[in-house]
Amino acid sequence: MLFSNLVVAAFIAIAQAAPTSHVQHERRDIAHDSKWIKRASAPRGIKLPVRIAITQRNIENGHGLLMDVSDPASPNYSKHWTAQEVADLFSPTQESVDAVTEWLASAGIGADRHTITSAKSHVGFDATVEELEALVHAKFSVHTNVNTGNDHVFCDEYHVPHTVQRHVDYITPTINTNTLLKTTIVDRSLNEKRGINSVAALPPINLGPANITTSNGFDINADTCYKGLTPACIRQAYGIPAATLAATSNAMGIFEDGDIYDQADLNLFWKNEAPNVPSGTGPTLRSINGATAPESQATEKQQKNGEESLLDFEVAISLIYPQKTVLFQVSDSKAGANEIFGDPFLDAVDSTYCSNKQETCGAYTATNVVSVSYGLSEADYGRAAETRSCNEYMKLGLQGVSVVYASGDSGVASREGCLGSGSTFAPGFPATCPYVTSVGATQVNSGAAITDVESAVSDPADSFYSGGGFSNTFAQPSYQSAALKTYFANHKPAYASNIYNASGRGFPDVSAVGMNIVNYDGGAQILQGGTSASAPIFASIINLINEQRISAGKKPVGFLNPTLYANPSAFTDIVTGSNPGCGEAGFSAVAGWDPVTGLGTPIYSALQKVFLALP
């Protein structure tokens, strides 16, 4: 009670300190602070990299424009926009840029101290804590993350002049909790224990040695696939044909953050599990901010770093070869700790999004399909920053890009735990963004044939359950309304409104097998689990369908979700299993869409038929 009273008093003091010319711009939801311990005031003299995101024009029209080219009932389906058309439509006005820079100048931060990105989307400068507190009328404190021991600097709320507010989306670092003051030497994080560098990784779960022996990667007994899923098993599960096409415009993209593959393990996998793939086959590197890949097997094995990348590429390449893959590689997300997860990738493929003079800004074109097996909790960021980031995926969709995200491996919790006192569900981001396709995990039941209906993944020993639930940031999108209406009419969960947000965007959208995946890592054949496998499996299916469309003279499918929800019969409905967490049973897999497995697992032939019939 004493701590609560102190927090309330602090809020009152901040509110009184802000002049009447200023309004509160953002405030953290301190009810979900169980992982943070407030230690002390932030040191006054330390410098912070400040970024002001300037409001974009016409952003309120983005959803409708995306539906116009993505809804299968639209006459404009697949009539995607160019990158320049998208940039021109959403670029900030000069009025907004002037309003922000004039405000900064009045505070003593003139043109000699700040920079404006070429697209006029952000203003950046360095400021001491003392300067920033005076500018935004906030109180910055040092908070310790109880899971990692790291100290972070952020505030509970901040203010801007009311004349400026409509010109600013958000300011960092303010309520964003990712700004590191120092990194502890204590190894407490799940990722570090699993050997993953990225703070946002959904690290694959090592289930032990595989002991799967096959004389040929394509000769497999369908009745024994449940013991370990090879590429041949995955093909049989969903009816995926052997790939034969390789359009030069259709390489599949995979994003990796702080996790680096080694070629020797890929070669072992090709030799033993995917003999159709020649030795030496690997992705084409698209380095972001100086990242490198691959590394040696000895280094990978010593640092226990690479299992995420290896799983992604061993799954994807084995399914889409002879098509190529592209690796969008970031060395370590800690280097950009002030950013929303995924920002380095978005910067690299869209110069209008860059928030400062990035090493890699607009250097690459996004591939038609991009698979991402990473994510954090929605609660780590402010609503405005998450919305801005999510809108970037909307822009990619307008350009015909399909972005596929893993839904998470912690059931109704995020990989960082639960909210509030520990019983409130914690959806993950960016999987909850309505402009990405979120993929949950299933499993082949013990003793079942590979073609039998799967169940939602259940691995109590590793607390691995399909990530799913409802967003606290994003409202239910129009393409999902019918499916969710049916779900709540027939299967409404009996949880109080403070446990989950029934009006939020539901996720995942679909699912694919994510348990007992045969993988090579450190020279050994092992079994892995995670939506980290499910996402590239589904992304590979979409990439193969794009090959068929391109061969037929059509464009890539682009944003997937409106077509997926309009065709639920293209999926095998999963009706068993659940995704517990936060001390609760979670949600259950039921008939129709559910927040465990989405629409279900893909039926390749049905999806191909749907997408090939569209213009």
Side-chain angles (χ1 to χ4, degrees):
M1 180 62 72
L2 176 61
F3 177 76
S4 298
N5 289 338
L6 289 174
V7 171
V8 171
F11 280 143
I12 293 174
I14 292 171
Q16 290 175 339
T20 56
S21 60
H22 285 58
V23 293
Q24 183 187 94
H25 196 61
E26 288 191 278
R27 177 176 174 176
R28 286 194 321 112
D29 185 354
I30 62 170
H32 299 320
D33 263 4
S34 58
K35 74 174 183 178
W36 296 108
I37 299 175
K38 184 179 287 189
R39 296 295 191 188
S41 296
R44 321 299 296 156
I46 64 170
K47 283 193 173 183
L48 300 173
V50 183
R51 303 290 178 262
I52 301 176
I54 300 176
T55 304
Q56 301 174 92
R57 289 183 303 137
N58 302 314
I59 202 69
E60 69 279 3
N61 299 324
H63 178 83
L65 293 170
L66 179 60
M67 294 305 105
D68 187 48
V69 299
S70 306
D71 187 330
S74 171
N76 293 319
Y77 179 84
S78 81
K79 294 181 181 179
H80 302 130
W81 294 42
T82 67
Q84 190 60 55
E85 287 172 335
V86 171
D88 290 344
L89 180 68
F90 297 114
S91 62
T93 65
Q94 189 61 46
E95 177 191 7
S96 292
V97 176
D98 291 343
V100 171
T101 55
E102 289 169 9
W103 167 46
L104 294 178
S106 70
I109 304 171
D112 60 329
R113 283 192 57 188
H114 67 68
T115 59
I116 304 174
T117 57
S118 59
K120 301 181 180 179
S121 60
H122 292 79
V123 177
F125 57 94
D126 292 339
T128 64
V129 166
E130 185 174 14
E131 284 182 298
L132 187 54
E133 286 186 340
L135 179 68
V136 298
H137 297 279
K139 175 65 176 175
F140 284 80
S141 300
V142 177
H143 300 73
T144 300
N145 185 310
V146 298
N147 297 320
T148 66
N150 293 336
D151 289 340
H152 297 241
V153 175
F154 52 88
C155 64
D156 293 324
E157 63 178 56
Y158 67 98
H159 303 74
V160 298
H162 66 81
T163 56
V164 174
Q165 186 177 34
R166 69 185 181 90
H167 301 291
V168 173
D169 268 351
Y170 63 91
I171 302 173
T172 62
T174 50
I175 64 172
N176 182 341
T177 62
N178 281 356
T179 304
L180 281 165
L181 177 64
K182 72 175 182 67
T183 303
T184 181
I185 61 172
V186 179
D187 178 3
R188 299 180 183 176
S189 74
L190 175 63
N191 283 352
E192 286 170 336
K193 290 176 181 176
R194 292 183 183 171
I196 302 292
N197 288 336
S198 173
V199 297
L202 299 171
I205 298 160
N206 190 328
L207 303 171
N211 298 322
I212 303 297
T213 302
T214 57
S215 59
N216 182 309
F218 288 93
D219 294 333
I220 189 77
N221 186 337
D223 294 330
T224 60
C225 281
Y226 70 90
K227 297 179 181 180
L229 280 92
T230 64
C233 291
I234 296 170
R235 288 183 187 279
Q236 291 186 55
Y238 305 129
I240 304 171
T244 58
L245 301 175
T248 57
S249 62
N250 196 45
M252 177 176 156
I254 294 179
F255 176 75
E256 303 291 352
D257 186 347
D259 185 88
I260 305 170
Y261 78 97
D262 72 87
Q263 187 61 49
D265 277 321
L266 290 186
N267 291 341
L268 278 173
F269 191 85
W270 310 148
K271 177 182 178 181
N272 295 299
E273 312 298 344
N276 61 311
V277 182
S279 180
T281 300
T284 300
L285 176 65
R286 296 286 182 263
S287 172
I288 299 176
N289 299 338
T292 60
E295 63 186 5
S296 70
Q297 187 182 56
T299 300
E300 187 275 326
K301 190 172 183 179
Q302 180 183 16
Q303 297 182 355
K304 299 180 180 179
N305 173 40
E307 59 185 18
E308 178 65 73
S309 302
L310 289 168
L311 179 60
D312 286 337
F313 286 108
E314 288 172 5
V315 166
I317 292 176
S318 64
L319 294 178
I320 70 170
Y321 186 84
Q323 184 52 269
K324 295 178 170 58
T325 55
V326 168
L327 166 60
F328 296 101
Q329 179 76 57
V330 174
S331 60
D332 186 351
S333 66
K334 293 175 184 176
N338 293 339
E339 301 173 320
I340 298 291
F341 174 76
D343 277 3
F345 165 73
L346 295 172
D347 289 339
V349 298
D350 182 3
S351 62
T352 70
Y353 187 66
C354 298
S355 60
N356 54 24
K357 293 182 178 180
Q358 297 282 348
E359 236 182 292
T360 309
C361 180
Y364 308 122
T365 299
T367 51
N368 295 333
V369 178
V370 180
S371 180
V372 188
S373 297
Y374 296 76
L376 288 169
S377 170
E378 277 189 344
D380 285 337
Y381 309 110
R383 183 182 299 267
E386 285 181 337
T387 300
R388 177 91 169 216
S389 177
C390 183
N391 283 334
E392 284 300 301
Y393 297 110
M394 175 268 291
K395 295 178 187 178
L396 288 176
L398 273 173
Q399 297 169 65
V401 177
S402 306
V403 182
V404 176
Y405 262 93
S407 72
D409 301 337
S410 305
V412 293
S414 77
R415 57 174 297 281
E416 297 172 292
C418 304
L419 304 179
S421 62
S423 60
T424 300
F425 299 167
F429 179 82
T432 54
C433 170
Y435 304 126
V436 306
T437 300
S438 176
V439 185
T442 56
Q443 67 183 29
V444 179
N445 296 312
S446 179
I450 189 62
T451 53
D452 289 347
V453 177
E454 298 163 15
S455 296
V457 71
S458 177
D459 179 14
D462 297 292
S463 299
F464 169 33
Y465 303 97
S466 181
F470 300 87
S471 172
N472 291 322
T473 298
F474 303 103
Q476 182 186 117
S478 57
Y479 61 76
Q480 199 179 45
S481 58
L484 268 65
K485 182 178 180 181
T486 299
Y487 171 75
F488 283 114
N490 298 329
H491 308 286
K492 183 175 177 60
Y495 294 118
S497 59
N498 65 319
I499 299 298
Y500 79 103
N501 177 27
S503 63
R505 183 267 207 263
F507 77 110
D509 300 301
V510 298
S511 55
V513 68
M515 186 72 168
N516 289 337
I517 308 297
V518 175
N519 181 233
Y520 277 77
D521 184 12
Q525 184 197 57
I526 61 174
L527 295 178
Q528 297 270 36
T531 50
S532 293
S534 309
I537 289 172
F538 190 79
S540 296
I541 287 173
I542 299 304
N543 210 78
L544 289 169
I545 291 173
N546 274 341
E547 293 282 3
Q548 297 291 330
R549 282 182 58 88
I550 292 170
S551 178
K554 298 182 179 184
K555 292 184 178 180
V557 295
F559 179 49
L560 298 166
N561 294 5
T563 302
L564 302 183
Y565 280 88
N567 294 277
S569 61
F571 296 87
T572 299
D573 194 9
I574 305 302
V575 296
T576 55
S578 60
N579 59 353
C582 303
E584 301 286 352
F587 301 107
S588 296
V590 295
W593 180 90
D594 58 67
V596 185
T597 61
L599 295 167
T601 56
I603 303 171
Y604 183 91
S605 59
L607 279 173
Q608 177 182 254
K609 182 178 179 180
V610 165
F611 281 111
L612 286 183
L614 292 172

